[in-house]
């Protein structure tokens, strides 16, 4: 099945929850609402004509700094002084966060890219951990780096970073803390980089 | 941290006998410094006597912010960080990343014509590194089980491969040899001679390994019917590579989704058959790796035979590589399984987002499932059979 057919099938079944379809790119993307992703995932796996039994990759994305056409726009980054103090950017960012699922079917050998945008202020999305168990770790990783909350994940903790770490490092407006547990982090040359 | 249960007073010695022996659940930290966890993996296990009732992996001891670093470095600069992911198969990680960037470029309308000679060099070097990675898996698995000798044999042959790599690119572990558009240098003559010598000698070594470990009675006792994973569970947990193939699923991206020039070579995909136990046990996963070394040897042999006369090793690429706005997820078969890069470009010289799908990360997850109900010693055998590399898991 091509992505176009999968999209039409999904639209016939879920109607309003399917938000769009980008077809003019090499790996077409279907986007849907964050509340419906659990049901859509279950349908994608269980429908015999689709049977997406593999979740290849679950990624978080921060679209801050990317315009509608996907082009990068000028974005300011935090400046660090010699003594380690931060001059944060004035506009902390308004772009959406997103979770991207890359799926594949062993049976039919077709693939799908499902993208779900969530608002930056209240990043909440339904978990798909009960559909593909491997998503439980991917969701923990995405929570760790982006602060996106997956409702229904049985064990939503930070995966790589310490549990008392502050902030979501892969967000574009992340500010590196100056100290962590009384260990100074300044002067390490982190994030001091010329703007391009 | 122990499980405190209400204590019941025992009134009489006779009652003492009548009651079954009560054991308490014990929580143990296995790792991060544990010889059989292959790096800094920490498993928090709950045991009932010798039986494991729960396994919870704790990750992040080797986390180096690779994905954040990717957003601050150019496409070329990030190649060296992919070395540090699966450091036992750094060539393959380089290759996967370069492949992802090339495919992203191609899909967005930028012509990338990799010279045919470079493709052959890529296959030869990549398959050599697959053998080197599987040799480590084979050797250290013997160590986990308690067999010391295979490790020395495995490292001896790995040393030969590392010597070849040193002649090819000057490094023995962190190569950064593959580049977007080809490889950095040609294979020198003496390295090519060594590769040919290696091809001649390696099958005899494989027989040696099989004599040493594969059929060893103690080894079979320790690994057959241990850590059995059925195919559906493996797929559900996102396992790939020898772990998935050990469970009898014939899936290899070199055949199923061919990249580079793999469609030109004749090789098989070995799968677990349950020769000495059940399909999908530790022995099957181990044996799939042994057979894969032989298949890699076949590919190298064919590639060395058919390699075209010396020529360019790099495509014509702009010095300041800019990728047009767009995105793509591209993958390749690494020794540990399917590795993929999801690249989003904003049109600049730096990736907007570069997510790594690392195979060992997904292969590790299944330990939560398979570890339950095992003996502690079997858990060690199972971890070893998954062939985890923490550099890739934590990134």
């Amino acid at each position: 099945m091509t992505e176009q057919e999968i999209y039409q099938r999904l639209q016939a079944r879920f109607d309003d929850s399917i938000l769009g379809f980008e077809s003019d790119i090499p790996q077409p993307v279907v986007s849907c609402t964050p509340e419906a992703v659990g049901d859509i995932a279950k349908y994608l796996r269980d429908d015999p004509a689709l049977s997406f039994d593999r979740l290849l990759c679950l990624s978080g994305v921060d679209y801050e700094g990317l315009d509608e056409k996907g082009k990068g726009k000028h974005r300011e980054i935090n400046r660090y002084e010699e003594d380690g103090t931060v001059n944060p950017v004035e506009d902390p960012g308004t772009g959406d966060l997103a979770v991207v699922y890359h799926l594949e079917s062993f049976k039919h050998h077709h693939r799908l890219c499902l993208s779900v945008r969530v608002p930056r202020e209240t990043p909440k999305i339904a978990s798909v951990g009960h559909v593909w168990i491997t998503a439980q770790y991917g969701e923990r990783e995405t929570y760790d780096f982006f602060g996106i909350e997956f409702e229904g994940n049985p064990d939503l903790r930070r995966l790589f970073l310490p549990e008392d770490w502050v902030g979501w490092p892969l967000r574009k407006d992340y500010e590196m803390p100056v100290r962590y547990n009384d260990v100074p982090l300044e002067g390490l040359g982190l994030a001091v980089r010329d703007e391009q | 941290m122990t499980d405190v249960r209400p204590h019941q007073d025992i009134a009489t010695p006779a009652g003492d006998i009548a009651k079954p022996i009560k054991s308490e659940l014990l929580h143990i930290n296995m790792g991060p410094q544990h010889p059989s966890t292959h790096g800094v993996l920490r498993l928090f296990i709950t045991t009932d006597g010798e039986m494991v009732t729960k396994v919870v992996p704790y990750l992040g001891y080797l986390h180096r912010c690779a994905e954040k670093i990717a957003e601050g470095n150019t496409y070329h600069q990030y190649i060296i960080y992919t070395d540090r992911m699966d450091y036992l198969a750094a060539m393959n990680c380089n290759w996967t990343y370069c492949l992802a960037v090339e495919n992203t470029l191609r899909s967005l309308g930028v012509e990338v014509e990799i010279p045919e000679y470079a493709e052959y060099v890529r296959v030869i070097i990549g398959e050599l590194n697959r053998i080197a990675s599987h040799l480590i898996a084979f050797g250290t698995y013997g160590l986990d089980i308690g067999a010391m000798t295979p490790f020395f044999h495995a490292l001896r042959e790995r040393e030969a491969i590392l010597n070849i790599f040193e002649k090819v690119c000057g490094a023995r572990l962190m190569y950064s040899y593959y580049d977007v558009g080809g490889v950095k240098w040609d294979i020198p003559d003496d390295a090519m001679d060594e590769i040919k010598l290696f091809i001649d000698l390696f099958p005899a070594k494989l027989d040696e390994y099989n004599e040493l470990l594969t059929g060893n009675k103690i080894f079979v006792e320790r690994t057959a019917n241990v850590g059995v994973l059925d195919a559906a569970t493996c797929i559900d947990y996102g396992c790939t590579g020898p772990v998935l193939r050990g469970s009898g699923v014939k899936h290899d991206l070199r055949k199923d989704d061919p990249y580079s020039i793999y469609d030109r070579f004749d090789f098989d995909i070995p799968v677990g058959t349950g020769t000495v136990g059940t399909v999908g046990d530790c022995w099957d996963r181990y044996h799939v790796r042994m057979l894969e070394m032989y298949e890699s040897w076949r590919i190298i042999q064919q590639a060395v035979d058919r390699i075209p006369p010396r020529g360019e090793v790099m495509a014509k690429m702009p010095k300041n590589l800019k990728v047009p706005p767009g995105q793509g997820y591209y993958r390749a078969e690494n020794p540990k399984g399917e590795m993929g890069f999801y690249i989003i470009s904003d049109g600049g010289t730096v990736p907007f987002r570069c997510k790594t799908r690392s195979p060992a990360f997904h292969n590790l997850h299944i330990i939560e499932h398979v570890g339950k109900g095992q003996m502690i010693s079997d858990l060690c055998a199972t971890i070893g059979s998954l062939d985890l590399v923490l550099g890739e898991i934590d990134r």
Side-chain angles (χ1 to χ4, degrees):
Chain A
M1 232 189 241
T2 61
E3 279 96 343
Q4 181 76 40
E5 288 163 345
I6 295 167
Y7 166 65
Q8 280 158 1
R9 208 179 165 85
L10 281 175
Q11 209 184 24
R13 174 79 171 72
F14 290 100
D15 198 22
D16 289 347
S17 302
I18 306 295
L19 294 176
F21 181 57
E22 274 184 82
S23 57
D24 52 345
I25 50 176
Q27 294 181 355
V29 181
V30 175
S31 49
C32 70
T33 58
E35 299 82 34
V37 70
D39 296 333
I40 292 172
K42 206 160 164 38
Y43 177 72
L44 284 170
R45 186 194 62 179
D46 293 339
D47 187 52
L50 300 171
S51 62
F52 282 103
D53 44 8
R54 300 184 70 205
L55 175 64
L56 298 176
C57 184
L58 193 157
S59 339
V61 182
D62 182 357
Y63 278 107
E64 168 60 25
L66 214 64
D67 64 13
E68 293 77 40
K69 285 176 184 162
K71 275 197 73 147
K73 55 188 180 192
H74 178 76
R75 86 176 163 257
E76 292 195 359
I77 56 170
N78 297 333
R79 288 282 175 184
Y80 288 76
E81 299 298 331
E82 290 279 315
D83 58 352
T85 52
V86 191
N87 294 329
V89 291
E90 286 178 2
D91 177 20
T94 49
D96 280 344
L97 302 174
V99 184
V100 182
Y101 306 84
H102 287 91
L103 307 168
E104 194 190 36
S105 165
F106 254 133
K107 201 168 149 199
H108 305 297
H109 298 285
H110 53 216
R111 282 170 67 179
L112 181 72
C113 175
L114 185 69
S115 170
V116 188
R117 290 213 180 204
V118 289
R120 198 179 194 82
E121 288 72 37
T122 51
K124 278 188 182 159
I125 184 171
S127 168
V128 297
H130 57 289
V131 182
W132 304 285
I133 297 176
T134 178
Q136 289 177 5
Y137 266 33
E139 286 173 355
R140 274 181 69 185
E141 188 190 345
T142 310
Y143 168 74
D144 195 353
F145 292 150
F146 291 91
I148 298 173
E149 281 181 36
F150 292 86
E151 289 170 327
N153 188 309
D155 187 24
L156 196 66
R157 291 177 290 125
R158 282 190 186 268
L159 184 63
F160 292 132
L161 299 178
E163 280 179 32
D164 55 351
W165 192 265
V166 180
W168 316 109
L170 276 179
R171 287 197 188 184
K172 298 285 181 189
D173 59 348
Y174 175 66
E175 285 172 30
M176 178 82 187
V178 180
R179 301 180 84 76
Y180 168 66
N181 276 354
D182 287 344
V183 180
L185 299 174
E186 69 260 37
L188 296 177
L190 295 165
V192 179
R193 195 169 65 84
D194 286 336
E195 228 168 274
Q196 293 193 337
Chain B
M1 294 290 272
T2 48
D3 181 14
V4 182
R5 295 174 181 188
H7 184 260
Q8 292 174 348
D9 280 326
I10 295 150
T12 59
D16 200 357
I17 299 165
K19 279 181 180 155
I21 295 173
K22 247 187 182 175
S23 62
E24 283 191 343
L25 292 180
L26 191 65
H27 300 278
I28 302 174
N29 271 314
M30 198 163 140
Q33 266 81 29
H34 188 282
S36 83
T37 50
H38 299 256
V40 283
L41 171 63
R42 177 178 152 216
L43 296 177
F44 187 69
I45 59 177
T46 310
T47 56
D48 184 2
E50 189 72 5
M51 305 298 286
V52 177
T53 56
K54 197 180 175 195
V55 186
V56 182
Y58 281 78
L59 309 176
Y61 290 89
L62 212 57
H63 179 58
R64 290 147 301 171
C65 325
E67 286 170 19
K68 190 74 179 174
I69 290 170
E71 291 172 14
N73 282 291
T74 64
Y75 288 94
H76 279 294
Q77 285 172 334
Y78 189 55
I79 293 173
I80 62 155
Y81 291 98
T82 59
D83 276 320
R84 274 95 183 144
M85 286 177 185
D86 185 354
Y87 42 78
L88 295 178
M91 291 282 192
N92 297 79
C93 291
N94 287 169
W95 192 3
T96 313
Y97 173 70
C98 293
L99 200 79
V101 176
E102 286 155 11
N103 281 337
T104 312
L105 281 168
R106 274 195 205 108
S107 72
L108 297 167
V110 181
E111 195 70 26
V112 185
E113 192 67 49
I114 298 162
E116 175 142 330
Y117 179 72
E119 289 280 24
Y120 275 90
V121 172
R122 281 182 164 196
V123 167
I124 292 170
I125 299 295
E127 291 303 319
L128 273 176
N129 206 339
R130 190 184 305 276
I131 291 178
S133 169
H134 282 348
L135 280 174
I136 287 281
F138 152 76
T140 53
Y141 196 37
L143 275 186
D144 291 346
I145 302 296
M148 195 79 169
T149 321
F151 186 66
F152 298 115
H153 286 250
L155 281 218
R156 183 186 60 197
E157 272 72 72
R158 181 170 176 265
E159 193 70 13
I161 296 176
L162 294 193
N163 282 337
I164 293 170
F165 288 166
E166 196 176 2
K167 281 183 179 157
V168 169
C169 66
R172 291 173 65 82
L173 200 65
M174 302 292 156
Y175 313 110
S176 306
Y177 177 58
Y178 290 65
D179 204 343
V180 181
V183 292
K184 286 215 176 81
W185 300 281
D186 195 359
I187 301 182
D189 282 333
D190 53 343
M192 204 62 189
D193 293 340
E194 271 196 39
I195 292 172
K196 282 173 184 159
L197 189 66
F198 183 82
I199 294 170
D200 290 341
L201 296 177
F202 191 62
K205 303 292 176 193
L206 269 178
D207 294 342
E208 206 173 79
Y209 304 153
N210 286 330
E211 244 169 64
L212 265 174
L213 198 61
T214 309
N216 185 303
K217 196 167 187 311
I218 302 167
F219 179 71
V220 172
E221 286 288 322
R222 284 291 309 274
T223 54
N225 295 319
V226 171
V228 179
L229 299 170
D230 61 277
T233 315
C234 270
I235 294 169
D236 212 8
Y237 276 87
C239 293
T240 43
V243 179
L244 182 63
R245 289 194 283 276
S247 298
V249 182
K250 207 165 188 169
H251 178 73
D252 190 318
L253 293 177
R254 291 176 291 174
K255 284 265 192 207
D256 295 343
D257 187 7
Y259 54 97
S260 188
I261 50 166
Y262 274 113
D263 46 355
R264 298 185 199 173
F265 301 115
D266 174 31
F267 63 100
D268 296 326
I269 307 169
V271 291
T273 51
T275 316
V276 295
T278 324
V279 176
D281 58 8
C282 289
W283 193 87
D284 268 351
R285 287 193 283 280
Y286 157 83
H287 196 233
V288 162
R289 287 195 190 92
M290 303 303 283
L291 296 173
E292 266 180 30
M293 279 200 265
Y294 176 69
E295 299 302 332
S296 291
W297 170 81
R298 276 177 69 190
I299 296 173
I300 299 168
Q301 198 185 32
Q302 292 168 46
V304 169
D305 276 352
R306 296 183 207 162
I307 193 164
R310 261 166 209 284
E312 281 291 312
V313 289
M314 270 294 285
K316 284 200 170 55
M317 301 294 292
K319 224 172 203 164
N320 202 2
L321 187 66
K322 275 192 177 176
V323 179
Q327 56 169 311
Y329 170 78
Y330 297 98
R331 58 199 182 151
E333 187 75 27
N334 266 32
K336 311 285 187 295
E338 173 183 331
M339 189 170 201
F341 284 91
Y342 175 48
I343 296 175
I344 302 179
S345 167
D346 61 356
T349 54
V350 176
F352 183 76
R353 172 89 171 99
C354 183
K355 154 91 186 173
T356 315
R357 186 246 193 246
S358 63
F361 178 69
H362 295 258
N363 290 352
L364 165 75
H365 190 184
I366 207 164
I367 199 78
E368 280 186 5
H369 167 78
V370 75
K372 271 185 219 159
Q374 282 190 324
M375 309 265 274
I376 292 178
S377 55
D378 286 349
L379 184 65
C380 290
T382 311
I383 296 169
S385 76
L386 294 175
D387 189 19
L388 305 171
V389 166
L390 266 291
E392 184 183 56
I393 294 170
D394 288 350
R395 297 190 293 281

